[in-house]
Amino acid sequence: MEQVRTLQPDLIFLDVQLVDDIRDWDLLNILKQEPSLQHMQVVMMGFSEPPEKLSIVQAGANDYLLKPIQVFQLESILMRYLNHSDFRMNETPI
């Protein structure tokens, strides 16, 4: 959470299986409760089939990726949620 607050990323990929202390969608709820983070685009990822699309939107996620993720799926998500001007060739990713 501290890195999200500090870095203010344009897009967050949130893997529900990798969160130890927080159950499934609780971390997403925590993110969406903070006024400064509510605008963030969040894509949930998991090995199991996602809940209905309506529940994803109601929970505050923008999309859901079923793992393993294919390159074309990742590219599609990046193109959908990031502006072309967000891709800067001279910057080193974190």
Side-chain angles (χ1 to χ4, degrees):
M1 284 297 295
E2 204 53 44
Q3 285 184 338
V4 171
R5 286 185 197 104
T6 303
L7 297 174
Q8 294 286 309
D10 296 316
L11 180 63
I12 297 172
F13 287 92
L14 184 58
D15 189 331
V16 295
Q17 278 81 22
L18 295 180
V19 180
D20 290 332
D21 298 344
I22 302 174
R23 285 187 43 204
D24 293 331
W25 298 78
D26 292 341
L27 185 56
L28 177 62
N29 291 332
I30 292 168
L31 276 171
K32 292 301 179 174
Q33 287 175 6
E34 290 201 33
S36 64
L37 304 177
Q38 289 177 351
H39 70 283
M40 299 233 172
Q41 304 286 330
V42 178
V43 176
M44 302 292 286
M45 303 180 301
F47 283 110
S48 59
E49 286 293 324
E52 291 183 25
K53 187 80 167 171
L54 185 57
S55 351
I56 294 169
V57 173
Q58 287 174 339
N62 299 88
D63 224 319
Y64 187 93
L65 286 173
L66 188 60
K67 297 191 308 183
I69 299 168
Q70 303 292 320
V71 172
F72 73 90
Q73 292 171 310
L74 181 58
E75 182 181 67
S76 172
I77 291 292
L78 292 174
M79 297 302 284
R80 185 176 312 144
Y81 295 109
L82 298 179
N83 188 330
H84 290 289
S85 64
D86 291 334
F87 297 101
R88 296 176 187 92
M89 296 301 287
N90 296 328
E91 291 187 9
T92 305
I94 296 177

